[in-house]
Amino acid sequence: MKSYSKLVGLLFLAFLCSFQSSKSTNYYFNPTLGNDENTGTSISAPFKSLSKIKTLKLNPGDSLLLAVNETFSDGLELKEISGTKKQPIVVSVYGTSFKNDKAIIKTQDALNAILVENSNFIVISHLEVSANPSKNTLQIQKNQMRCGVLVTASQPKQYEHIYLSNLVVKDIFFEQKAHSRSAKETKSANGTQNYGWGIRFITSDAKAILKNIKVTQSLVQNVSHTGIKLTARGENHGILDFEISNNQVFETGGPGIQMSGVKNGHIFNNNVNKSGSTNDSRKWGRGSGLWTWGSENVLIEKNRFTNANGPGDSAGAHIDYNCKNIVLQYNFSANNAGGFAEILGNNHNCSYRYNISVNDGYRVKDVNGAFQEGKLFWLSGYSGKKRIGPVNSYFYNNTMYVKSELDAKIAIDRISKGVLIANNIFHIEGNSKMVKGDQYNPEKEGNWEVTDVFFKNNLFLSNTSWPKESTLQDENPIFGDANFINKNGFDPENFTPRNKELIQNKGVQIPKLANDSIGIIYGLNLKKDILGNDIKGLPDLGAIELMN
């Protein structure tokens, strides 16, 4: 064991050295053994407080190293600091033999445990941060927020390469314990009060750009609003080329992951559970596992979205309005109050494909304060003030299971243009029915009908598995029991069908919709299913390919 610990320590030291040149400097911080009068450049003479960073002239390749398993009470701030691509500024730990050891930042008064402002080429890892005040000493202002990690760009410039990894961000609240939210506050669009947020990236200037950012291998847990949130101000996409991967996001009072005004992103291998949590009265109490707004070219794959709660929204993952080319594939979605698939208005060429949904959309309007029905499948033309689209929505090779105790609810706005629904398994044991979203109102908005529809070749458990009152009906439905391995399970493998005769090679190749020149920017026909099995020849029905 000792030799393994030594090896891990040497590898971590090599990782730090890989960023450093002969001219770079390590600065050490230890709140127990340090002194701010020290040089700070050796383990034997560390600084004491993180506020000392403000006095340092940091150069590319420099490292700020915090003593592992020690607790700092002041926040860490990097303002107008830049490394280079080959020599970033590194913030991490020293004195560790294990890759999961961390230094702790536990603030009471600071608004941000970690703040990175107008900076470039910053790499931060192996820190644990929390901000759960026992009392509020701040002069409270409207729309103030407290963040575990806040990265901002407030100047009309481009800032790039901010990497966050192996962080623990937990217990982030603005108010002290016992503060509570009203039902009216929970019903507001994003909350109007002060909250604690996990990890936030914000461009506050309309011309500022944050580019090439990553949040990986981190835990965000127990925050009063959103876990990981990217927000770009202005009309253009101000956050570009980002990755959110291999994170765990648990018990957030708002959404798990949310992004607005972003472009070119990859979100994968994240586990989001219990968004919209109400286990603390300071939490917002509403939120989807993930949602996008005003964003473009985002691939969301291989994630778990489970147990989202709230009186409105609160789907596993949904696509809010004004988006293009948002694709959800290979995700597992289960027990989410708001539903599974939700595409709002003015969205173009968005898709859900090769996902598995289990008992999503169970919420019932007007029960326990719910102001919105849960829905298994929802196309809505809502885009703020005007009804537009959605346009060219692709929904195929998904597997959906809804137990007999629940109704499967569907809502389709008749202003939708371009709808493909094919090769899905609708295993609905109970009833299905059409419900209102914020959708079609024939008295006020005209008698529209959905146009450019490709609805065929879906497997339904019975003739009650799709609402008979819907104006959209499958042209070539298939009926029967997929016979899942374990319909009471909570993993994708449990929903492998055993009815090969009904499923295998019974899919159709997915075409572009009529009047759509784009399709899906990542390609219409995939080579793998949700489990990584090869798709050969005609696809099977649902999200899982059966092996011979």
Side-chain angles (χ1 to χ4, degrees), residues 346-387:
N346 198 30
N347 285 318
H348 297 256
N349 295 85
C350 296
S351 175
Y352 287 75
R353 59 183 183 176
Y354 284 90
N355 304 286
I356 294 176
S357 167
V358 179
N359 296 324
D360 283 326
Y362 62 83
R363 184 179 59 224
V364 179
K365 188 176 181 180
D366 297 326
V367 175
N368 296 323
F371 58 85
Q372 207 176 62
E373 292 280 9
K375 293 171 279 290
L376 179 66
F377 178 79
W378 183 17
L379 298 180
S380 167
Y382 179 76
S383 61
K385 296 180 180 180
K386 189 177 181 180
R387 310 201 72 73

Side-chain angles (χ1 to χ4, degrees), residues 223-244:
V223 304
S224 61
H225 209 288
T226 306
I228 301 173
K229 185 173 176 66
L230 283 59
T231 307
R233 311 294 187 192
E235 296 181 2
N236 297 318
H237 298 100
I239 297 179
L240 306 172
D241 306 335
F242 64 93
E243 175 186 317
I244 300 173

Side-chain angles (χ1 to χ4, degrees), residues 213-288:
I213 60 177
K214 291 185 181 182
V215 181
T216 64
Q217 297 180 308
S218 295
L219 168 66
V220 181
Q221 184 171 18
N222 197 37
V223 304
S224 61
H225 209 288
T226 306
I228 301 173
K229 185 173 176 66
L230 283 59
T231 307
R233 311 294 187 192
E235 296 181 2
N236 297 318
H237 298 100
I239 297 179
L240 306 172
D241 306 335
F242 64 93
E243 175 186 317
I244 300 173
S245 66
N246 298 295
N247 301 292
Q248 299 181 84
V249 184
F250 300 153
E251 296 178 321
T252 57
I257 302 171
Q258 197 279 324
M259 62 221 71
S260 300
V262 305
K263 185 176 181 179
N264 301 336
H266 193 189
I267 302 172
F268 60 97
N269 291 341
N270 300 286
N271 183 1
V272 183
N273 187 33
K274 296 184 178 179
S275 56
S277 168
T278 57
N279 66 355
D280 189 301
S281 62
R282 294 171 290 179
K283 292 184 175 181
W284 189 38
R286 168 186 170 191
S288 293

